[in-house]
Amino acid sequence: MPSLLIRNIQSLVLAETSPRPFVAGRDMQALPLLEDAYLLIEGGRFHAFGPMAECPERAGETIDAGGGFVFPSWCDSHTHLVFAASREMEFVDRIKGLSYEEIARRGGGILNSARRLRETPEEELLAAALKRIREIEALGTGAVEIKSGYGLTVESEWKMLRVIQRLKEKTTLPIKATFLGAHALPPEYSQHREGYIRLIIDEMLPRIAGEGLADYIDAFCEKGFFTVAETEQLMEAGVRYGMKAKVHVNQFNSLGAIPACVRQGAISVDHLEVVSDEDIESLKGSHTMSTLLPSAPFFLNDAYQPARRLIDAGLPVALATDYNPGSTPSGKMQFVVSLACIKCGMLPEEAIYAATLNGARAMELEQEYGSIAVGKVANFFITPPIPSVAYLPYAFGSDLVERAFLKGEMVVDKR
Ligand code: NIG
Ligand code: FE
């Protein structure tokens, strides 16, 4: 792979000389910015960076950033971007007054997506998901997690995870796969919850683990979906197959799932619109990342995540899109960063850490992605000239990802 030199960077964002695995609490305010910088890439990895005054002279490809900022690519650690069809009619139903939970109780929501997915051939799912991958690459995403959870049968969950596996082969974007068999109780088990949990544990998990199709296990722990006890049972089963937990918790209610996930050593707890003081206490000193998905309450008109309480308690937080057809039909991390600032009270510096390094940590990719450090994979984007780092969340309607790179190769140029 050839070398690439980027010159005249107005500000190189989150370049680290001593890479950290994540950043928590107060430290999230101190975002390193190197003004008037160069960045050198060799073999698809960051090789050197420094002030323009020390820029090496070299042959090979050179790009002039023209006064733009360089950011490490977004690390989107929570998506459901394999799905069969959009659900804009439910969006209209919500405008007319139905809630997300009411729509779900009537057999819409996740079950609607499951019906559509079951009847959609694998090739079609793959083509649609690949389009979404190209879309998020162009929006500056450089690492992503994708969940199953619209199959809800042995065959269809397997089909979804196969699609995710095949996506990995078609892109340089690193992808982590999460098995979310416990996304909703399928109607055929409505009178037989325990039977569905057994199906997940005894049939789905061994097959999926046997083929190495999932890195993590997830469950939607919420009233009307899965209980804390069921979630614990699933996490324990996942761990037996080497799958750590990344769990949907506290979207509408605080049920005690967060302390349970921490006890199980979950990689992350995700959503967190509703958080109690006990939840925060349980997260302190743990290895569990709090992952906030503010475009879900934006789209569902719910309360936003209390990011300030988490960060002020000294915790790290990550930000992700939740890209899915029901609660967040958007994979735009820049908008998530804006919402985190406008609606969750995060400072631009905190939101940028949360959307990059801490997101990488929430996928166990922090050694290779999430910041600009020598030896890490060269996934980054260049903005047009902007006045400051705060301009990125401020200009919420502008696409500031002008040129995006994966492994040092430009994948989109919007100039
Ligand atoms: O993270 N809350 C559970 N799952 C998804 C939404 C899934 C859907 O509505 O299709 C979420 O918001
Ligand atoms: Fe989700």
Side-chain angles (χ1 to χ4, degrees):
M1 240 180 262
S3 74
L4 171 66
L5 176 66
I6 319 251
R7 299 166 51 87
N8 295 324
I9 301 167
Q10 191 190 325
S11 192
L12 183 63
V13 179
L14 222 182
E16 301 182 290
T17 39
S18 313
R20 297 153 296 171
F22 62 92
V23 177
R26 254 185 183 289
D27 292 345
M28 291 182 74
Q29 290 183 25
L31 184 70
L33 298 176
L34 184 62
E35 306 297 324
D36 194 19
Y38 78 89
L39 175 63
L40 180 63
I41 291 134
E42 296 272 10
R45 290 181 183 260
F46 298 121
H47 188 73
F49 57 81
M52 265 312 285
E54 293 167 17
C55 182
E57 285 296 326
R58 46 194 304 136
E61 203 189 339
T62 301
I63 284 181
D64 195 313
F69 279 45
V70 168
F71 283 78
S73 297
W74 307 125
C75 294
D76 189 352
S77 63
H78 181 136
T79 81
H80 310 243
L81 67 70
V82 175
F83 57 86
S86 60
R87 300 207 318 251
E88 68 279 6
M89 296 327 290
E90 294 177 5
F91 163 74
V92 175
D93 286 341
R94 278 200 310 281
I95 296 170
K96 291 181 180 161
L98 284 184
S99 72
Y100 181 82
E101 292 100 319
E102 278 162 347
I103 292 169
R105 273 198 299 276
R106 294 175 181 205
I110 295 164
L111 295 181
N112 177 0
S113 283
R115 277 192 300 277
R116 297 299 298 271
L117 187 129
R118 288 177 190 183
E119 62 204 25
T120 305
E122 185 175 317
E123 296 305 319
E124 219 173 283
L125 286 172
L126 178 67
L130 189 58
K131 268 198 187 154
R132 293 179 201 118
I133 292 281
R134 300 295 178 228
E135 177 197 16
I136 65 170
E137 286 176 354
L139 292 169
T141 295
V144 70
E145 180 262 15
I146 311 173
K147 299 171 195 302
S148 69
Y150 292 129
L152 312 181
T153 62
V154 179
E155 274 314 305
S156 296
E157 283 296 307
W158 180 81
K159 177 169 74 172
M160 279 191 86
L161 289 162
R162 282 259 314 152
V163 168
I164 300 171
Q165 181 76 17
R166 291 175 67 191
L167 287 172
K168 292 184 188 177
E169 292 155 15
K170 289 183 178 292
T171 172
T172 34
L173 190 71
I175 297 175
K176 288 283 181 122
T178 300
F179 168 49
L180 175 54
H183 200 187
L185 192 66
E188 55 276 26
Y189 285 92
S190 60
Q191 301 309 315
H192 188 31
R193 306 184 62 80
E194 175 58 21
Y196 188 59
I197 302 290
R198 291 261 55 97
L199 184 77
I200 293 176
I201 295 176
D202 297 340
E203 292 186 45
M204 294 185 186
L205 256 178
R207 178 163 176 196
I208 287 160
E211 293 181 36
L213 290 180
D215 302 293
Y216 301 113
I217 187 158
D218 192 350
F220 185 17
C221 186
E222 186 53 68
K223 280 187 193 159
F225 293 86
F226 294 90
T227 66
V228 176
E230 288 164 344
T231 303
E232 282 180 310
Q233 217 184 327
L234 292 162
M235 287 193 286
E236 277 163 23
V239 166
R240 287 201 291 278
Y241 289 100
M243 292 180 207
K244 294 179 197 157
K246 280 173 76 64
V247 189
H248 282 77
V249 299
N250 296 52
Q251 183 174 4
F252 307 121
N253 299 282
S254 173
L255 306 171
I258 292 179
C261 289
V262 169
R263 282 197 298 276
Q264 281 295 333
I267 286 294
S268 67
V269 282
D270 301 33
H271 263 293
L272 275 53
E273 281 84 332
V274 182
V275 179
S276 72
D277 291 341
E278 296 75 54
D279 293 329
I280 291 181
E281 276 313 306
S282 72
L283 285 161
K284 287 185 183 166
S286 77
H287 292 288
T288 304
M289 181 65 71
S290 299
T291 300
L292 315 183
L293 317 166
S295 43
F298 168 76
F299 191 69
L300 299 180
N301 251 324
D302 276 336
Y304 285 90
Q305 290 85 358
R308 276 266 59 87
R309 279 169 60 217
L310 294 159
I311 296 173
D312 293 346
L315 296 171
V317 307
L319 287 166
T321 62
D322 200 14
Y323 195 177
N324 76 75
S327 69
T328 319
S330 160
K332 189 166 182 177
M333 283 294 283
Q334 191 194 315
F335 183 58
V336 168
V337 169
S338 293
L339 285 176
C341 296
I342 300 160
K343 300 294 187 181
C344 307
M346 289 174 75
L347 293 167
E349 292 79 4
E350 294 171 330
I352 289 161
Y353 265 128
T356 54
L357 184 56
N358 287 358
R361 170 76 169 184
M363 298 183 269
E364 297 179 289
L365 289 175
E366 74 277 10
Q367 292 190 1
E368 296 270 274
Y369 301 90
S371 68
I372 293 172
V374 171
K376 282 196 179 186
V377 179
N379 289 6
F380 62 98
F381 63 84
I382 308 178
T383 72
I386 54 175
S388 67
V389 113
Y391 187 82
L392 184 129
Y394 158 87
F396 73 90
S398 308
D399 180 3
L400 295 175
V401 178
E402 194 171 67
R403 283 174 276 183
F405 297 74
L406 295 176
K407 276 198 184 162
E409 306 237 350
M410 188 153 65
V411 292
V412 70
D413 183 357
K414 303 172 193 162
R415 287 170 308 162

